[in-house]
Amino acid sequence: DGLIAAGFPAHRIAGSAPVAVAAAIRRRLALALDVEASSVSLALLGLPPDVIVVPHASASAGGVPVEQLRPSAVRQAVQEVAGRTPGPVALAAAAVHVIAALMSERLAVLSVVARGDAAFGLGRATVALPRRLGGWRVGETIEVALEPYERLALENAAEGRFRAAARMAPRRPLD
């Protein structure tokens, strides 16, 4: 939000930390399911690492829903990662991944922190959502199916972000 307030175009700003958090969750899911981490895919939404929403409908291993393989695996993996800040190597690798996606002419879909569009009914909230990246642009949000409790968690994260941004907004001095 601060970069946008400073005049940077919103379509060129993407926070990469959610990519590192998603990788950590994929690794934990892979261990729980006894599969390679590269076969696990998921969408990550919210304000990681504090508010992590992984829609159960998005988590799969080799195309098979994780819920079918081990129903509690997604919840457990998120609990293990929640509240933990990724390390510097993980954050750097995530930044490289996002920059490579932005530089590419071919679009990629990554969960990044970016200024919202009309997706999920969140208005202009700055939260992590799956977005199309490429051609030096942060494109539109890809909406994924959310259970009611997942939608509520995402809305609460967005509302908390709005309150935090309002507290940080520059105030005029009293006359």
Side-chain angles (χ1 to χ4, degrees):
D1 290 331
L3 290 173
I4 293 170
F8 287 91
H11 69 275
R12 295 200 178 225
I13 301 170
S16 58
V19 174
V21 174
I25 293 171
R26 278 196 310 276
R27 281 191 304 277
R28 283 174 174 74
L29 274 174
L31 285 171
L33 301 172
D34 196 25
V35 299
E36 291 292 327
S38 61
S39 69
V40 177
S41 66
L42 56 88
L44 185 138
L45 298 82
L47 289 171
D50 299 319
V51 180
I52 300 173
V53 178
V54 175
H56 283 76
S58 76
S60 67
V64 178
V66 170
E67 287 291 311
Q68 185 177 328
L69 299 170
R70 188 163 166 224
S72 62
V74 172
R75 180 180 46 79
Q76 289 172 343
V78 168
Q79 286 175 342
E80 290 173 11
V81 172
R84 293 181 172 191
T85 302
V89 173
L91 290 170
V96 167
H97 195 68
V98 169
I99 291 167
L102 285 167
M103 291 173 56
S104 175
E105 290 302 315
R106 188 172 182 158
L107 296 178
V109 176
L110 294 173
S111 291
V112 295
V113 174
R115 174 62 64 93
D117 48 23
F120 296 103
L122 299 176
R124 313 252 327 136
T126 303
V127 294
L129 297 169
R131 304 289 294 258
R132 291 185 191 271
L133 303 177
W136 292 104
R137 294 185 59 83
V138 177
E140 73 274 6
T141 299
I142 307 299
E143 289 199 48
V144 295
L146 296 176
E147 295 292 331
Y149 68 93
E150 294 166 339
R151 180 170 296 281
L152 181 61
L154 182 59
E155 289 170 356
N156 287 342
E159 182 62 31
R161 186 75 167 116
F162 280 131
R163 284 194 302 268
R167 283 193 308 269
M168 293 173 34
R171 296 191 175 104
R172 288 188 187 161
L174 297 174
D175 293 328

